[in-house]
Amino acid sequence: MSQRVVYMDNNATSQVAPEIVAAMLPFFGDKYGNPSSMHTFGGAVARPIEEARGKMAALLGAAPGELIFTSCGTESDNTAINAALMSHPEKKHVITTRVEHPAVLNYCQDLVRRGYEVTFLPVDRQGLLDLDRVENAIREDTAIVSIMWANNETGVIFPVEEIARMAKAKGAVFHTDAVQAVGKVPINLKDTAIDMLSLSGHKLHAPKGVGVLYVRKGTRFVPYIKGGHQEHGRRAGTENVPYIVGIGKAAELAGANMKEENTRVRALRDKLENGLLEVEATMVNGDREQRLPNTCSVSFEYVEGESILLGLSDLGICASSGSACTSGSLEPSHVLRAMGVPFTAAHGSIRFSLSIYNSEDEVDYVLQHMPPIIERLRAISPFWAKAKKDGLLGAACNTPGYVEP
Ligand code: PLP
């Protein structure tokens, strides 16, 4: 009998919806034309692209002409920042946060090496931004403020609509990486001051390898990938027709499923989280209110996240840890470090990210198996025994806010 799989790692990638596979299949079959061709056979695939654009525009409250199809969220993020810098060459300052996805963070770190000045805004112990600090950081020479809508590790939501207004008032372009937010929070771009927004198909039950960049009409834009005239000259390269059709279908489904994400999925996440918090010396990372409905980042003090993941994986449970193996040592993630989560807790952090495909039975399965895993690992941990003896358990939960180095 094949092993049961309980997939709770949807912020990493999500199951491709069967409806999306079905919508894509004809474009791997007899509808293989090039949408730029002059003949009717090629032209027949141009229309489905525009239909997909229309569906995504409806989900975002945007005009179809404001959307550019890209290869992924990373490409959208890189393109947005590059476009703002190239179209405002006199401005050499960029603002972002310390908790962005590497798609923005590493790009910005590279900008520093190229001579730009980048302000990496800190967050507090709950993973939240100080809005006065954001506003004060925006200067006359700030080309772009790029702040994520929702954090991929903690699910913490930033008030990007408010920050976009601040940026606009001071003449800076505002971009948001909404890769984790789309489909989970209502978005109506026409009512906001957001200039650019990135999203990715594979977090939305479409396949990996397709994304979207929204560019508000009137925003100055310079393409990142240059070549043919596709996407009205804003993103060259023959269109990935099946995947574009797939992300269009994903937008349609995401709109229809948004309510379920915010009711049934949220209730499942809360049940899971409350159950996990019953385990001794356990805490939630990130603000529990301003948060995505599907994400739960929990730290188990004095245990290695990687060991927990292996224990879970043996039972077919898929989640992720808040540490990354860098040069042979386990480093807590940059997000948890920026939040000032103590090492003893950051090392034992696990992220569960649910989707509409999860059931209550699966939550019960995780809750049944997690406590013995933690107990087993703590039983062999000398740190756990010492911390318990010294009365240090739970200390991580009470540490003060982030102190800037
Ligand atoms: N931004 C965020 C917040 C993400 O979570 C991810 C992927 O995990 C990305 C960007 C990158 O998206 P992609 O994998 O499509 O390049």
Side-chain angles (χ1 to χ4, degrees):
M1 206 178 80
S2 64
Q3 202 200 18
R4 178 177 192 178
V5 173
V6 173
Y7 190 79
M8 293 194 180
D9 202 9
N10 288 276
N11 289 11
T13 199
S14 61
Q15 178 191 335
V16 182
E19 299 93 320
I20 294 179
V21 176
M24 292 171 66
L25 277 177
F27 300 90
F28 291 110
D30 52 9
K31 295 189 180 175
Y32 57 81
N34 184 330
S36 300
S37 298
M38 289 304 288
H39 43 74
T40 319
F41 182 74
V45 297
R47 210 166 81 223
I49 293 181
E50 293 320 309
E51 283 166 4
R53 207 186 303 278
K55 288 175 186 168
M56 186 55 80
L59 179 70
L60 301 176
E66 293 175 316
L67 303 185
I68 303 170
F69 289 115
T70 65
S71 69
C72 58
T74 303
E75 184 192 322
S76 300
D77 284 338
N78 283 211
T79 303
I81 301 171
N82 177 70
L85 293 175
M86 292 303 112
S87 51
H88 300 88
E90 71 292 356
K91 296 185 173 187
K92 302 284 183 203
H93 180 230
V94 174
I95 297 174
T96 189
T97 77
R98 294 187 188 178
V99 295
E100 297 298 311
H101 186 273
V104 168
L105 210 51
N106 288 347
Y107 191 84
C108 286
Q109 272 149 5
D110 189 52
L111 287 177
V112 174
R113 287 188 282 275
R114 284 158 52 193
Y116 288 91
E117 192 187 339
V118 182
T119 301
F120 296 93
L121 292 165
V123 293
D124 67 14
R125 188 69 176 75
Q126 301 308 313
L128 299 171
L129 287 167
D130 173 347
L131 290 192
D132 287 337
R133 197 168 183 152
V134 178
E135 188 161 30
N136 291 336
I138 308 171
R139 315 189 309 217
E140 236 173 59
D141 67 335
T142 304
I144 178 165
V145 179
S146 178
I147 293 183
M148 66 198 328
W149 200 312
N151 187 271
N152 44 303
E153 287 189 31
T154 59
V156 167
I157 293 174
F158 288 144
V160 287
E161 288 156 297
E162 202 174 334
I163 300 172
R165 285 193 292 273
M166 292 174 182
K168 193 185 179 79
K170 293 198 173 186
V173 170
F174 183 79
H175 163 252
T176 184
D177 173 340
V179 165
Q180 297 291 349
V182 173
K184 295 176 194 123
V185 300
I187 296 179
N188 194 4
L189 287 167
K190 63 178 165 315
D191 292 344
T192 73
I194 293 168
D195 298 302
M196 292 193 267
L197 174 145
S198 302
L199 68 93
S200 174
H202 71 109
K203 316 291 177 170
L204 275 181
H205 303 293
K208 296 149 203 61
V210 62
V212 169
L213 175 64
Y214 158 84
V215 182
R216 179 177 292 279
K217 189 165 184 261
T219 304
R220 276 151 74 176
F221 186 79
V222 173
Y224 197 49
I225 296 183
K226 298 173 187 71
H229 59 273
Q230 293 89 355
E231 297 295 282
H232 296 286
R234 294 176 301 177
R235 200 275 189 184
T238 302
E239 296 87 342
N240 189 350
V241 184
Y243 282 60
I244 291 173
V245 168
I247 203 172
K249 185 71 187 169
E252 189 185 311
L253 296 178
N257 293 333
M258 179 108 58
K259 190 154 171 240
E260 187 179 347
E261 286 276 1
N262 282 279
T263 51
R264 193 181 68 81
V265 175
R266 183 189 294 276
L268 288 182
R269 187 275 313 268
D270 289 347
K271 177 173 181 182
L272 174 69
E273 188 163 277
N274 291 329
L276 295 174
L277 286 174
E278 302 261 309
V279 178
E280 196 182 357
T282 303
M283 58 182 243
V284 172
N285 296 307
D287 189 87
R288 293 182 76 183
E289 295 302 317
Q290 260 182 240
R291 196 167 48 140
L292 293 175
N294 77 319
T295 308
C296 157
S297 165
V298 183
S299 280
F300 301 88
E301 279 188 283
Y302 300 99
V303 214
E304 283 291 349
E306 307 297 300
S307 311
I308 305 173
L309 282 188
L310 289 178
L312 290 173
S313 182
D314 284 345
L315 296 157
I317 302 167
C318 311
S320 0
S321 80
S323 358
C325 196
T326 357
S327 53
S329 71
L330 277 177
E331 275 281 315
S333 80
H334 69 283
V335 175
L336 299 181
R337 272 184 290 150
M339 289 164 62
V341 177
F343 268 52
T344 50
H347 270 298
S349 82
I350 299 290
R351 177 191 69 188
F352 292 95
S353 44
L354 282 63
S355 83
I356 54 158
Y357 295 115
N358 288 121
S359 66
E360 183 155 10
D361 183 53
E362 290 179 326
V363 169
D364 292 339
Y365 181 71
V366 176
L367 289 177
Q368 179 197 341
H369 289 289
M370 196 65 159
I373 292 176
I374 303 294
E375 208 172 302
R376 222 170 41 236
L377 292 170
R378 282 176 173 166
I380 54 170
S381 159
F383 302 109
W384 170 255
K386 182 159 183 349
K388 197 159 184 160
K389 189 163 137 274
D390 296 346
L392 291 176
L393 297 188
C397 313
N398 301 317
T399 48
Y402 178 81
V403 183
E404 217 180 336

